[in-house]
Amino acid sequence: MASGKILVVDDDPNLLELVKMRLESADYEVTTASTEEGALGAVKGQAFDLSILDLQLAHRDGISLMEELHLVLPGMPVIILTAYGTIESAVEAMKRGAYSYLTKPFDPRDLLFQIERALENRRLNSEVQRLKDLLSERFDFSNIIAKSEKMQKVLEAVTQIARIDSTVYIHGESGTGKELVAKAIHLSSERKANPFVAINCAAIPEPLLESKLFGHEKGAFTGAIRSTKGLFAQAHEGTIFLDEIGDMSLPIQAKLLRVLQERQFYPVGGEKLVEVDVRVVVATNKDLEAQVKQELFREDLFYRIHVIPVYLPPLRERKEDIPSLADHFLKKFRQQMKKEVKGLSPSALQRLMLHDWPGNVRELENTIEYAVAMTQQEVLTEEYVLQTKGALSNEPLKPLKEARDDYEKNYIIQLLEICRGNVSKAAKMAGKYRADFYDLLKKHNLKTENFKKPE
Ligand SMILES: Nc1ncnc2c1ncn2[C@@H]1O[C@H](COP(=O)(O)OP(=O)(O)OP(=O)(O)O)[C@@H](O)[C@H]1O
Ligand SMILES: [Mg+2]
């Protein structure tokens, strides 16, 4: 069986023949082309694992041909052949995405060695991708948008901690997705078939919270006309999510501590111990450590719940997520409202990118909901996006360099979104060389993989 399909492009028929023979005897499947048309025709019908290109083709330079091939087969390693030994053009080719180069005349063993190395490299990359896909398949996080590296890291951590039973402590600003992540942890755990019970400790009036959590016996207090099972008991064999745990009063904290230590408790007014098997996930948008210092939160409880911390970064620190989140919410609301809305106009998206999002993802969700509700057109224009707040108006002006860097980063994110992570295309649209474009990606710490989508 062939160990790889290789396309060789050179206008010298003797060289083509020679290379073909060599590679075939090394078990590769070889297609040759002596013109650019031939090369472009070949990649229309089939995929190649690697290609070898002469830099000085008769009618065209090999670099632009390489870029065109990369549009069809992104990620295909290309080895450049150069007749004149002019290092500059070969270096330029490498900058623009070639894997390596050889100067003519070359030792066929060098060629074989480079081919092997390039293919091995590619195999490793696709193996990593396959494992990543497997991971995301096994744990269904498809409803969580995580393009940015920061959110990818969060999901990786969540994947690892889902299977174990330790208490998870999710913290982050309001609207960053804490509840969503708590649910994902439950759904990825072995408890997923059992209940997920959520309670917002800040939303329940203090006197009721205790009986809500632990249940009560009939007659335990005025109005307790029948005994009730508490949420801890309802969550038996499942997960209990204690949201806004920082709002819990000190007496209830004491009771919770005991439950966490012993997994058993007395219902309010009850004398019979209730035993439960629950996994506990807590969330807070407060700085609990500061609350511990102020003695508003028990230190021992803090250490009990602070076993595995998960931090959700604010949206303004991961703006790469904005285009996909906007798209995600757009699809959600157009379906709900049965409206034909296809997308966002570039200037509307830009407005979203420039906003600071104090309310994080929830604010973005509301923004899109409003725009979808209001629009009469198929495309959401800036008119309905963040109009009242104004994208820039109430933020203090930044120094020019910072503002320019922000703009540049947002611009590149949009380009990559449009080009689905294809650097050749994105660089072309930006009017930049690939190498310079890569420098920009590095400067802003952006990864093209995060923008790749299946067509
Ligand atoms: N990464 C994400 N992908 C898709 N939707 C998200 C994401 N993060 C948040 N959301 C959505 O944004 C909204 C707010 O998220 P969530 O309620 O989980 O935030 P929260 O951190 O619990 O907020 P709060 O502190 O105000 O309770 C929800 O509708 C949630 O589904
Ligand atoms: Mg919440």
Side-chain angles (χ1 to χ4, degrees):
M1 212 181 73
S3 45
K5 279 171 85 169
I6 300 181
L7 173 68
V8 189
V9 190
D10 198 305
D11 53 1
D12 173 353
N14 295 330
L15 185 130
L16 275 186
E17 197 45 41
L18 196 78
V19 172
K20 185 174 159 74
M21 259 169 49
R22 280 283 183 171
L23 298 188
E24 280 178 348
S25 65
D27 261 1
Y28 291 107
E29 194 181 321
V30 181
T31 301
T32 57
S34 52
T35 60
E36 52 166 302
E37 291 80 24
L40 291 171
V43 297
K44 279 217 178 86
Q46 52 188 324
F48 290 91
D49 299 302
L50 180 141
S51 96
I52 300 168
L53 290 186
D54 181 8
L55 200 55
Q56 277 81 28
L57 283 172
H59 299 294
R60 177 173 186 164
D61 75 292
I63 294 183
S64 63
L65 177 59
M66 170 181 82
E67 290 190 322
E68 217 157 307
L69 292 179
H70 269 157
L71 287 180
V72 188
L73 296 170
M76 172 182 66
V78 173
I79 298 175
I80 292 287
L81 303 179
T82 166
Y84 306 105
T86 47
I87 297 290
E88 289 100 286
S89 48
V91 168
E92 179 60 29
M94 302 268 294
K95 274 195 193 161
R96 299 230 230 146
Y99 175 77
S100 62
Y101 69 90
L102 282 169
T103 38
K104 291 185 199 172
F106 53 84
D107 183 339
R109 278 171 305 186
D110 283 346
L111 178 62
L112 280 173
F113 174 70
Q114 293 210 5
I115 291 173
E116 268 166 38
R117 214 178 44 169
L119 290 178
E120 182 56 25
N121 201 340
R122 193 182 150 114
R123 265 193 288 274
L124 285 177
N125 284 342
S126 55
E127 179 62 11
V128 168
Q129 191 54 47
R130 195 184 66 80
L131 288 174
K132 274 193 181 160
D133 290 349
L134 202 71
L135 219 63
S136 56
E137 223 171 76
R138 221 178 41 220
F139 302 102
D140 187 14
F141 295 148
S142 53
N143 60 335
I144 304 185
I145 305 294
K147 289 280 170 178
S148 60
E149 207 167 344
K150 285 185 173 164
M151 279 303 288
Q152 293 269 330
K153 289 224 170 87
V154 169
L155 286 198
E156 265 166 42
V158 165
T159 310
Q160 283 182 11
I161 62 188
R163 331 183 110 243
I164 52 175
D165 257 349
S166 316
T167 302
V168 181
Y169 173 93
I170 307 173
H171 61 128
E173 287 179 13
S174 184
T176 45
K178 296 187 291 296
E179 181 156 2
L180 189 68
V181 166
K183 269 188 207 140
I185 289 174
H186 172 72
L187 290 176
S188 318
S189 75
E190 277 160 18
R191 297 172 175 268
K192 68 175 171 221
N194 303 322
F196 173 82
V197 175
I199 177 165
N200 183 341
C201 303
I204 312 282
E206 173 60 30
L208 284 184
L209 187 58
E210 185 179 359
S211 84
K212 190 103 189 144
L213 285 173
F214 306 108
H216 63 253
E217 290 298 326
K218 186 175 164 184
F221 47 85
T222 332
I225 41 176
R226 62 178 75 87
S227 52
T228 339
K229 216 170 161 187
L231 296 179
F232 264 96
Q234 286 177 32
H236 184 56
E237 296 190 322
T239 306
I240 191 163
F241 174 49
L242 305 172
D243 203 357
E244 318 260 359
I245 195 166
D247 284 50
M248 209 177 251
S249 70
L250 286 164
I252 298 187
Q253 288 178 28
K255 193 154 180 180
L256 176 63
L257 180 67
R258 229 168 312 129
V259 181
L260 292 182
Q261 281 165 345
E262 290 149 28
R263 306 277 152 179
Q264 52 188 19
F265 56 87
Y266 291 103
V268 179
E271 278 159 24
K272 227 175 100 204
L273 259 183
V274 177
E275 224 166 286
V276 285
D277 163 23
V278 285
R279 194 221 187 136
V280 179
V281 177
V282 307
T284 176
N285 54 23
K286 291 197 172 141
D287 181 354
L288 271 198
E289 273 169 298
Q291 285 201 296
V292 168
K293 285 200 191 97
Q294 294 166 20
E295 298 188 356
L296 292 169
F297 202 87
R298 292 180 70 115
E299 187 169 18
D300 47 6
L301 179 59
F302 177 75
Y303 288 112
R304 264 284 155 182
I305 57 174
H306 197 267
V307 184
I308 302 178
V310 172
Y311 173 62
L312 290 176
L315 188 56
R316 64 184 166 280
E317 286 175 16
R318 48 175 168 113
K319 287 193 166 177
E320 305 91 295
D321 288 338
I322 292 174
S324 318
L325 280 168
D327 191 50
H328 172 74
F329 292 132
L330 187 136
K331 286 182 180 137
K332 171 177 161 183
F333 292 117
R334 82 168 163 212
Q335 198 185 353
Q336 262 178 30
M337 301 179 197
K338 301 199 170 32
K339 286 184 90 162
E340 288 277 320
V341 182
K342 297 222 160 62
L344 281 148
S345 76
S347 53
L349 183 59
Q350 188 175 351
R351 196 170 266 229
L352 297 181
M353 297 301 289
L354 288 170
H355 186 59
D356 230 25
W357 302 109
N360 295 297
V361 184
R362 178 172 299 111
E363 186 188 357
L364 176 60
E365 183 172 11
N366 293 342
T367 303
I368 301 293
E369 181 172 5
Y370 174 82
V372 175
M374 298 307 285
T375 188
Q376 316 276 357
Q377 296 161 298
E378 289 197 331
V379 171
L380 299 182
T381 53
E382 56 185 311
E383 174 185 5
Y384 295 118
V385 169
L386 295 170
Q387 198 49 270
T388 46
K389 296 183 190 98
L392 287 166
S393 56
N394 48 12
E395 286 171 33
L397 276 180
K398 292 180 175 167
L400 180 61
K401 180 168 176 342
E402 246 176 72
R404 203 185 275 154
D405 280 352
D406 277 0
Y407 180 85
E408 192 175 73
K409 180 169 184 184
N410 292 334
Y411 173 83
I412 294 169
I413 289 169
Q414 286 177 54
L415 263 185
L416 289 171
E417 272 292 319
I418 294 166
C419 301
R420 293 166 186 259
N422 183 323
V423 174
S424 305
K425 266 195 217 165
K428 209 170 242 172
M429 282 175 75
K432 289 262 174 203
Y433 284 126
R434 255 172 86 98
D436 297 336
F437 197 78
Y438 271 118
D439 287 345
L440 286 173
L441 292 182
K442 209 158 147 202
K443 170 174 164 194
H444 295 295
N445 200 11
L446 292 169
K447 299 241 171 347
T448 52
E449 305 93 83
N450 298 341
F451 298 90
K452 297 221 154 64
K453 283 187 208 158
E455 296 287 330

